[in-house]
């Protein structure tokens, strides 16, 4: 198998502070359900002793989690938020990470197909060239997991951009990493039952429909493309 160099677009990340690290660990505990909705955190002094951190570090971690929408703080204490509260008052990224499998699929399937529908109506010649370019890159690199993951993302991103709807672009871009991590990445690595060949074939049909300005057809293909991924994932 060919090797893919993921360092061609390095983004250097500074080392996380103790508070950042603690907030991330607590967030992961909330996401996997170890800390359930409504859970009351212990008294600050007691928790600091358990975690072996200062009160300043704990409070900074709490501040991060509160901003992200995972917890609420009041005179009564610090609590893990209910999912409905996160959806209404919390951040969108928190809702995505706490979402159930079926919720994520419903969300992405609705917006992806709508993006394809609008792209077929609004894509410029330059945008069509970009969509085709990355469609071909997917085919060329289909045997290189890291590369196909990247080019598959860019292919779909350019379709979203061709919708010329900033809310759709933003919402799908924000949700992609969660969907990619839970489903697409696993499908690419396993490539069961000719998954990649089928994926490439669907890309070509989708591009053709968009290029020919067949909006309803593009919408249908985009939805079927996603459902095909889901069915393949269920068989793993």
């Amino acid at each position: 198998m060919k090797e893919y160099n993921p360092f061609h677009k390095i983004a250097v990340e500074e080392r996380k502070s103790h508070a950042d690290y603690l907030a991330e660990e607590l967030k992961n505990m909330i996401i996997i359900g170890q800390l359930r909705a409504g859970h009351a955190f212990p008294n600050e002094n007691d928790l600091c002793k358990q975690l072996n951190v200062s009160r300043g570090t704990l409070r900074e971690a709490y501040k991060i989690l509160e901003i992200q929408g995972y917890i609420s703080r009041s005179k009564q204490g610090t609590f893990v938020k209910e999912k409905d509260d996160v959806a209404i008052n919390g951040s969108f990224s928190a809702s995505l990470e706490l979402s159930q499998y079926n919720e994520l699929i419903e969300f992405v399937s609705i917006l992806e197909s709508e993006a394809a529908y609008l792209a077929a109506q609004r894509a410029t010649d330059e945008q069509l060239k970009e969509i085709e370019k990355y469609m071909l890159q997917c085919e060329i690199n289909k045997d290189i997991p890291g590369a196909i993951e990247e080019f598959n993302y860019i292919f779909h991103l350019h379709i979203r951009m061709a919708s010329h709807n900033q809310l759709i672009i933003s919402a799908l871009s924000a949700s992609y990493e969660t969907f990619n991590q839970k489903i697409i990445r696993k499908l690419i690595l396993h490539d069961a039952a000719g998954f990649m060949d089928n994926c490439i074939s669907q890309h070509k049909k989708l591009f053709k429909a968009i290029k020919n300005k067949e909006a309803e057809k593009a919408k249908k293909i985009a939805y079927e493309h996603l459902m095909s991924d889901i069915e393949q994932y269920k068989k793993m």
Side-chain angles (χ1 to χ4, degrees), residues 135-152:
M135 176 189 73
L136 295 173
Q137 284 296 327
C138 285
E139 185 170 16
I140 293 168
N141 294 278
K142 69 176 184 177
D143 297 321
I144 312 174
I148 185 61
E149 183 179 328
E150 177 180 336
F151 292 127
N152 179 67

Side-chain angles (χ1 to χ4, degrees), residues 30-43:
I30 293 170
I31 291 172
I32 66 175
Q34 195 170 347
L35 296 177
R36 297 184 179 278
H39 173 87
F41 285 86
N43 171 276

